[in-house]
């Protein structure tokens, strides 16, 4: 799924959770089209409320390849108003493509991110933060430790993980390697710009 569509799903997350019931046709259609696997369907259905089921689906979708967003749109037959809204927003986002992304100076790329910068970054990341820190060299047990130490605050978990990465890698924990990790996970380039502002 491309960065624009991920951003769109994230920006409308709460709205989608209240308006879309994924229990019926949506999940079955995504399964039929090969976007969801058996285990995804089980994971979604195991959630206790319909809002949580929708949230779980929204967490899984961005990891399911380039066709995931379009197939998700097709699955919204019972929710034409939601489909319409997503398509309109998507067009708007295409118009304001990030042409204003500026090059980051090499001297900045070689520095380590500050606590303040990591905090700003954490505010902009969703569930993909785990893949990013794995990409940067942290382990699953490191992630687990960050979650246990900050059980009720996602932003604190993310900051803790990036601080751990910076401590562990020392001078090698540069903004350049962080940018590479973000790009590998297809995070929108504006996120790193926002972090450096």
């Amino acid at each position: 799924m491309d960065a624009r569509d991920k951003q769109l799903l994230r920006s409308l997350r709460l709205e989608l959770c209240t308006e879309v019931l994924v229990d019926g046709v949506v999940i079955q259609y995504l399964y039929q089209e090969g976007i969801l696997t058996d285990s995804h369907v089980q994971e979604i259905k195991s959630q206790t409320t319909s809002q949580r089921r929708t949230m779980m689906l929204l967490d899984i979708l961005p990891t399911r390849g380039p066709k995931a967003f379009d197939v998700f749109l097709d699955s919204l037959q019972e929710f034409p108003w939601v489909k319409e809204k997503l398509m309109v927003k998507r067009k708007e986002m295409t118009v304001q493509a990030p042409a204003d992304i500026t090059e980051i100076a090499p001297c900045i790329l070689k520095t380590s991110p500050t606590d303040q910068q990591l905090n700003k970054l954490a505010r902009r990341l969703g569930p993909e933060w785990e893949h990013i820190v794995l990409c940067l060299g942290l382990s699953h047990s490191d992630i687990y430790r960050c979650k246990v130490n900050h059980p009720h605050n996602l932003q604190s978990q993310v900051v803790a993980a990036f601080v751990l990465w910076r401590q562990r890698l020392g001078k090698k924990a540069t903004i350049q390697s962080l940018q590479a990790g973000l790009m590998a996970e297809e995070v929108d380039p504006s996120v790193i710009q926002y972090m450096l502002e």
Side-chain angles (χ1 to χ4, degrees):
M1 186 178 291
D2 75 28
R4 175 198 59 182
D5 294 338
K6 285 184 181 180
Q7 192 66 40
L8 177 56
L9 285 181
R10 189 179 312 154
S11 66
L12 293 175
R13 187 178 176 87
L14 292 175
E15 223 168 299
L16 289 168
C17 284
T18 54
E19 293 195 26
V20 178
L21 297 167
V22 298
D23 305 27
V25 175
V26 176
I27 287 183
Q28 294 311 319
Y29 186 78
L30 291 167
Y31 177 67
Q32 171 193 305
E33 297 300 310
I35 299 297
L36 296 179
T37 63
D38 267 334
S39 62
H40 288 138
V41 173
Q42 296 311 317
E43 199 174 353
I44 292 167
K45 286 186 171 175
S46 71
Q47 301 302 306
T48 48
T49 66
S50 67
Q51 282 190 332
R52 285 189 173 191
R53 286 191 277 277
T54 304
M55 274 194 189
M56 179 60 72
L57 175 65
L58 293 176
D59 287 344
I60 293 169
L61 271 179
T63 66
R64 301 304 298 156
K67 292 192 331 205
F69 190 84
D70 291 313
V71 177
F72 176 60
L73 283 180
D74 293 342
S75 77
L76 296 172
Q77 303 302 336
E78 298 172 309
F79 309 96
W81 67 94
V82 178
K83 182 176 182 174
E84 182 65 28
K85 179 176 228 166
L86 282 168
M87 288 166 76
V88 168
K89 287 265 190 204
R90 193 184 198 190
K91 278 203 181 80
E92 286 171 7
M93 287 177 83
T94 313
V95 174
Q96 7 165 299
D100 58 340
I101 295 297
T102 50
E103 273 302 303
I104 301 169
C107 58
I108 293 174
L109 286 172
K110 289 187 174 67
T111 61
S112 280
T114 63
D115 286 351
Q116 187 186 2
Q117 288 170 331
L118 292 177
N119 246 311
K120 286 176 82 174
L121 175 63
R123 278 202 292 265
R124 284 293 181 94
L125 294 178
E128 73 276 19
W129 74 271
E130 295 183 28
H131 298 288
I132 294 164
V133 296
L134 286 171
C135 220
L136 293 171
L138 263 58
S139 66
H140 285 286
S141 58
D142 292 328
I143 292 173
Y144 176 73
R145 206 169 311 122
C146 294
K147 286 180 165 182
V148 169
N149 291 343
H150 307 278
H152 305 298
N153 189 329
L154 176 66
Q155 192 178 335
S156 299
Q157 293 171 11
V158 181
V159 172
F162 283 122
V163 167
L164 181 62
W165 161 74
R166 195 179 59 194
Q167 287 169 346
R168 206 169 277 171
L169 269 75
K171 283 191 163 62
K172 287 184 183 161
T174 61
I175 288 173
Q176 187 167 15
S177 58
L178 184 56
Q179 183 186 29
L182 291 169
M183 285 167 72
E185 279 304 310
E186 296 178 357
V187 172
D188 194 278
S190 65
V191 171
I192 198 126
Q193 292 293 332
Y194 168 77
M195 181 187 104
L196 296 172
E197 278 166 12

